[in-house]
Amino acid sequence: MSLSLITLFLLSIMVFLGGQVLPGNVGRAILGPFADQRAVDALNHTLGVDRPLLAQYWGWISNFVQGDMGTSYIFRSPVAPFVIDALGNSMKLAAVAFVLVVPIGILGGVVAALNLNRPLDRIISLGGLSVTVLPEFVTGIILILIFGVWLRWLPIAAAWPKGAGFFTQLYYLILPSLPLFLVLFGYIARMARSGMIEALDSDYTRTAVLKGLPWRTVIWRHVLRNALLPTVTVIATQTGYLIGGLVVIETLFRYQGIGSLIFTAARGKDFPMLEAGILTIGIVYAVATLMADFLYSVLNPRIRLGAEQ
Amino acid sequence: MSAADTPVGMPASSAPDTAQRSPWGEVLHSLARSGTFLTGLFILLFWAICALFGQCFVPYDPLASDIINALAPPAADHWFGTDQLGRDVFSRVIVGSRDILTVAPLATILATIAGTALGLVIGYFRNIVDDVISRVLEAFMAIPVVIIALLAIVALGTSKVTVIVVIGLSFAPIIARTVRSAVLAERELDYVAAAKLRHEGAVHTMFIEILPNVIPPILVETTVRLGYAIFAVATLSFIGFGIQPPSPDWGLSISSNYGMIGGGFWWTVLFDALAIASLVIGVNLVADGVHGAFND
């Protein structure tokens, strides 16, 4: 909890340094090298970048908290609507990836653990591990070639016609979500597998088996509930990687999400947009971590009951 | 993620047993018998040779454009076809290993040096130093490397040096964490107490006494990090913030050619993608082998 707040604070300082201090003279950058010095000074004063650093940081962060994310250098209009739109789109993409990967990843890990050291386990563990280490754009390109270019099953750009319904949007989002799926699958399956192995090896599982419970009940009631606890935490920490991957995936599939917003802003040196995009991602990450902590304590009776006492 | 959360009994510090081999010989011996390690090493050596000498044996100049033969599919005279400027894809894939195999290892070395120094300091001094720095590092590690790199590179300008420094510094905390946990175990041992009784300074104790004994976990973590560094450099090049044109770098080539992928020009991106995939998997196999050799 407190850790994600420190992360957020650290990120805000980095964003502030990277976006407002290091690039140097903002007015000069906007007006170009031949502009009059007085015009540059005047613009710097209007933008407030001639104030002391601490005052600038405070002004920026307090405005941000109140929903004023600044004005885009490129679009000359408030940043917030762009960020909110893009965030909504990214959430859709991330949701598709998560809805696919969480059950399938857990299932993969459970199946691997139940077939420990047999060929099926080897395939899931090794396969999961090798796709996890590949950059998203590499798996993305290969998937586009297979499903978009050769088989022509799925559209290669995540740009659906205006006013498309839920299922059309879903259809366009399947291919972009697959590279994210592959990266996350390995992590989640590995955690679920090791959690399962530990739980299967425990005394309470042996007791459950020895007192004659059917194998199915042992797995569902005794093993799974304990095995999946650590997996919940992993899923939450993976949101960070998911977000890093979004920049790449959204660029590759030309999808108007927060990742491509950051990418476009970085390309055009649109610092207010870049700062707002990155800080928003940081907040999303902090919220995800918080929710995972909460979920973990709800699922874990030791923590839940401990808090009640 | 981190391969060496728990430092294991290091061969270097344990007394030589009845076997004739030295502790490091033992590690080399087990590496030489590890199929995983050898496969990875083979892939890595292949690309290293391409990076070093590729320029000498490729059939075409990887930068020479030949507009008339642009976008030619794979055939006898161009094994992997040509790209939109008519450049030979085969030659570009071979020579394209050079920049990534310079930038990623240098970034990893920087991360290892900075991370080791930091890890030794927080592990050795513990208490408040450890508490404060460890919290900050943990918080820092939660931020995706791509985001940090993007921010820093936009602010500082794109160059190979920026990429090396940015990736090196963002990986340093991860190595510092590994070194720290190894040092925490190590500093309770007698030889450290002996060094203290001899009134050796903190710097001497850290770098001369402790450092040689925590080399194994550092080596393991470094090979793992190399895989991630290649991942990061390729990704940054793909989004245009890494290696810059006219380099035949793989990520860069994919980024300039994938726009035409709908036209069916698969050969302009597939071979680069497979090259990155093979290099990343190769490094991870090596890392896996090294991890296994030290943890047997």
Side-chain angles (χ1 to χ4, degrees):
Chain A
M1 164 67 212
S2 60
L3 190 64
S4 53
L5 285 182
I6 303 176
T7 305
L8 210 52
F9 174 67
L10 207 65
L11 185 66
S12 78
I13 295 213
M14 282 171 47
V15 167
F16 177 72
L17 283 176
Q20 307 198 4
V21 182
L22 290 177
N25 196 328
V26 181
R28 181 58 75 190
I30 295 176
L31 295 175
F34 305 114
D36 191 62
Q37 184 58 43
R38 276 168 302 178
V40 172
D41 290 343
L43 183 62
N44 278 341
H45 191 72
T46 325
L47 294 171
V49 291
D50 53 353
R51 290 174 299 161
L53 283 184
L54 219 57
Q56 280 189 51
Y57 176 76
W58 179 247
W60 172 67
I61 204 78
S62 55
N63 279 339
F64 192 94
V65 172
Q66 292 164 35
D68 175 9
M69 302 183 182
T71 307
S72 160
Y73 290 166
I74 290 181
F75 298 101
R76 309 260 163 182
S77 67
V79 163
F82 290 97
V83 174
I84 291 167
D85 254 21
L87 188 63
N89 283 340
S90 287
M91 291 282 199
K92 280 185 201 167
L93 178 57
V96 175
F98 257 89
V99 166
L100 287 176
V101 80
V102 172
I104 299 181
I106 290 177
L107 185 72
V110 170
V111 169
L114 292 177
N115 292 283
L116 196 59
N117 292 331
R118 287 193 217 134
L120 196 57
D121 174 35
R122 292 269 159 75
I123 293 171
I124 292 174
S125 303
L126 260 177
L129 205 61
S130 13
V131 288
T132 296
V133 298
L134 295 179
E136 293 91 348
F137 76 95
V138 171
T139 43
I141 282 285
I142 295 172
L143 288 167
I144 289 180
L145 283 175
I146 296 174
F147 295 108
V149 177
W150 291 331
L151 296 173
R152 298 203 173 273
W153 286 355
L154 295 164
I156 58 171
W160 51 76
K162 260 207 160 69
F166 174 75
F167 288 103
T168 318
Q169 294 193 9
L170 195 63
Y171 173 63
Y172 277 85
L173 284 178
I174 292 176
L175 196 50
S177 68
L178 281 182
L180 299 173
F181 172 88
L182 289 179
V183 168
L184 294 178
F185 175 81
Y187 285 113
I188 294 179
R190 187 157 32 141
M191 274 317 280
R193 178 177 176 272
S194 60
M196 278 295 283
I197 292 173
E198 198 181 315
L200 283 170
D201 204 33
S202 65
D203 291 341
Y204 57 77
T205 304
R206 194 185 55 185
T207 309
V209 173
L210 290 181
K211 75 183 180 188
L213 285 180
W215 185 233
R216 181 179 295 269
T217 316
V218 173
I219 296 294
W220 278 103
R221 296 276 298 278
H222 296 261
V223 177
L224 271 182
R225 288 183 64 168
N226 287 290
L228 296 185
L229 270 178
T231 317
V232 173
T233 329
V234 170
I235 292 172
T237 45
Q238 292 311 317
T239 45
Y241 294 91
L242 186 74
I243 289 161
L246 281 181
V247 177
V248 177
I249 292 302
E250 292 176 357
T251 310
L252 183 63
F253 288 91
R254 301 200 179 79
Y255 186 60
Q256 303 287 320
I258 195 105
S260 73
L261 176 125
I262 289 174
F263 169 72
T264 318
R267 269 284 163 100
K269 295 200 183 272
D270 189 351
F271 287 110
M273 190 79 95
L274 183 65
E275 291 164 20
I278 294 181
L279 211 52
T280 307
I281 277 184
I283 293 170
V284 171
Y285 175 75
V287 171
T289 318
L290 205 64
M291 271 164 49
D293 283 354
F294 178 70
L295 199 61
Y296 189 81
S297 63
V298 169
L299 291 176
N300 192 339
R302 272 160 292 202
I303 294 182
R304 190 179 63 219
L305 298 175
E308 276 167 12
Q309 277 167 10
Chain B
M1 262 190 56
S2 74
D5 280 337
T6 45
V8 272
M10 292 90 205
S13 61
S14 59
D17 49 5
T18 44
Q20 306 93 323
R21 272 189 290 271
S22 71
W24 285 98
E26 197 74 50
V27 167
L28 284 179
H29 185 72
S30 100
L31 280 180
R33 281 178 308 167
S34 151
T36 325
F37 176 79
L38 292 178
T39 315
L41 190 67
F42 176 77
I43 300 175
L44 202 54
L45 280 179
F46 170 78
W47 286 120
I49 290 168
C50 289
L52 287 171
F53 309 109
Q55 193 83 48
C56 314
F57 64 75
V58 288
Y60 296 88
D61 176 357
L63 299 181
S65 52
D66 176 11
I67 300 291
I68 303 166
N69 285 321
L71 293 172
D77 53 342
H78 293 285
W79 293 349
F80 290 178
T82 60
D83 69 0
Q84 50 184 334
L85 294 175
R87 296 174 295 196
D88 182 50
V89 174
F90 176 73
S91 308
R92 290 177 66 76
V93 169
I94 295 292
V95 180
S97 57
R98 195 170 45 195
D99 282 320
I100 196 164
L101 278 180
T102 323
V103 172
L106 285 176
T108 313
I109 292 171
L110 176 64
T112 306
I113 294 172
T116 303
L118 196 59
L120 279 170
V121 169
I122 52 181
Y124 183 77
F125 288 107
R126 292 190 302 185
N127 301 332
I128 187 100
V129 181
D130 183 19
D131 280 347
V132 173
I133 301 181
S134 287
R135 284 300 91 69
V136 174
L137 291 186
E138 268 174 56
F140 182 78
M141 280 188 286
I143 307 171
V145 173
V146 174
I147 298 289
I148 301 175
L150 199 66
L151 199 60
I153 290 169
V154 173
L156 300 171
T158 328
S159 75
K160 277 185 204 166
V161 177
T162 326
V163 176
I164 293 170
V165 171
V166 167
I167 295 182
L169 293 186
S170 6
F171 283 176
I174 305 170
I175 295 190
R177 186 182 55 176
T178 306
V179 176
R180 169 187 168 273
S181 60
V183 171
L184 283 181
E186 206 67 23
R187 74 190 301 285
E188 305 302 332
L189 297 180
D190 287 345
Y191 72 87
V192 178
K196 278 185 188 153
L197 287 175
R198 292 199 309 270
H199 288 285
E200 300 286 8
V203 175
H204 176 94
T205 315
M206 278 190 277
F207 288 90
I208 309 291
E209 302 287 341
I210 299 180
L211 181 59
N213 292 308
V214 294
I215 293 287
I218 296 178
L219 261 183
V220 173
E221 191 60 47
T222 300
T223 43
V224 173
R225 279 306 117 200
L226 180 61
Y228 284 98
I230 291 171
F231 186 123
V233 174
T235 300
L236 285 176
S237 300
F238 171 71
I239 58 175
F241 292 98
I243 292 155
Q244 294 298 306
S247 164
D249 176 72
W250 300 328
L252 192 62
S253 291
I254 294 180
S255 121
S256 52
N257 286 310
Y258 82 93
M260 304 174 307
I261 205 170
F265 305 112
W266 53 270
W267 58 89
T268 56
V269 290
L270 179 66
F271 300 112
D272 292 290
L274 293 179
I276 297 176
S278 67
L279 180 61
V280 173
I281 289 178
V283 172
N284 276 281
L285 290 176
V286 168
D288 213 42
V290 172
H291 181 235
F294 280 117
N295 288 284
D296 273 346

